[in-house]
Amino acid sequence: MNTLLSAQQLEQGVDDLAACIRRDYASRPLTVVGILTGSIVLLADLIRRIDLPLRVGLVQASSYRGGATRPGELRINDDLLPDVSGRDVLLVDDIFDTGHTMVALVEQVKRHGAASVRTAVLLRKQGRQEVDYTPDYIAFDIPDEFVVGYGLDYRDLYRNLPYLAALEADELDQSTPREQGV
Ligand code: IMP
Ligand code: MG
């Protein structure tokens, strides 16, 4: 495992993200919606830096991934989503990879009647996007490697690492497809 971003670099990135969000929303009330499970660490750090009237909600996205690293069929559970009708919503996720998760969730939140929907991600993986959409707030662009830590998992492990690390090819087992939260 190689460290890609230290805890200190992550902290700086989240500071910058929060500053942009505070500036753009000025004193407007905001509903921040974290995408389970990968966003939990970012969500906790980000909301404490945003000094606005703020609600927090969650949605769950999971995809059936071949060997856990390739994207598959997406399922969304919005039972935990608060009432967003007429509200300004900021969707938060750990990483923008192919982009399908974020695009599907933007549409879902719009269907629930949000007044506006913007998106914030900690990471964007270079050269992987399959959608015509760019998140509004991006802390870091990273190379096309499988990364873990700061909320991101490999087979549900490593979310608790305080830094971001890239897994080596021989640490990734591509064999058994399974369902996992993203
Ligand atoms: P997308 O729909 O392809 O953009 O996938 C986004 C989801 O896939 C994220 O919410 C992550 O949970 C997961 N994902 C994508 N790349 C990585 C990675 O490098 N490490 C861990 N999870 C990843
Ligand atoms: Mg994941």
Side-chain angles (χ1 to χ4, degrees):
M1 237 194 249
N2 299 317
T3 302
L4 208 63
L5 294 167
S6 68
Q8 203 188 345
Q9 287 172 304
L10 289 168
E11 195 174 327
Q12 185 60 56
V14 179
D15 272 346
D16 296 344
L17 219 51
C20 293
I21 294 164
R22 278 199 308 265
R23 181 200 61 207
D24 289 356
Y25 285 91
S27 53
R28 274 153 60 208
L30 180 60
T31 301
V32 177
V33 175
I35 302 173
L36 290 173
T37 305
S39 75
I40 55 170
V41 180
L42 172 62
L43 185 69
D45 281 349
L46 189 64
I47 58 174
R48 285 177 292 173
R49 290 169 165 87
I50 301 177
D51 179 20
L52 296 172
L54 188 143
R55 286 183 178 75
V56 181
L58 295 163
V59 283
Q60 186 178 26
S62 44
S63 67
Y64 193 78
R65 289 181 168 247
T69 58
R70 290 190 306 275
E73 188 200 332
L74 182 69
R75 284 195 225 153
I76 293 172
N77 177 353
D78 59 10
D79 290 350
L80 296 172
L81 190 69
D83 180 12
V84 295
S85 60
R87 300 196 187 282
D88 292 317
V89 174
L90 180 69
L91 273 167
V92 174
D93 205 1
D94 51 358
I95 188 166
F96 193 71
D97 184 24
T98 65
H100 291 299
T101 303
M102 200 55 113
V103 165
L105 283 166
V106 167
E107 288 312 311
Q108 186 92 342
V109 171
K110 281 185 181 161
R111 274 198 293 276
H112 284 281
S116 72
V117 186
R118 286 191 192 176
T119 57
V121 293
L122 181 74
L123 310 166
R124 174 172 58 183
K125 222 187 265 188
Q126 281 164 346
R128 293 269 306 166
Q129 283 72 57
E130 296 174 2
V131 294
D132 183 18
Y133 179 83
T134 305
D136 299 279
Y137 308 96
I138 300 166
F140 300 99
D141 274 303
I142 60 163
D144 182 7
E145 291 184 79
F146 197 81
V147 292
V148 295
Y150 199 76
L152 293 110
D153 74 302
Y154 174 61
R155 298 193 158 176
D156 287 329
L157 287 173
Y158 309 117
R159 293 194 199 273
N160 55 322
L161 295 179
Y163 53 88
L164 190 81
L167 288 185
E168 312 266 4
D170 62 359
E171 294 171 298
L172 296 168
D173 171 13
Q174 304 288 335
S175 54
T176 19
R178 61 191 282 275
E179 175 145 14
Q180 66 163 187
V182 296

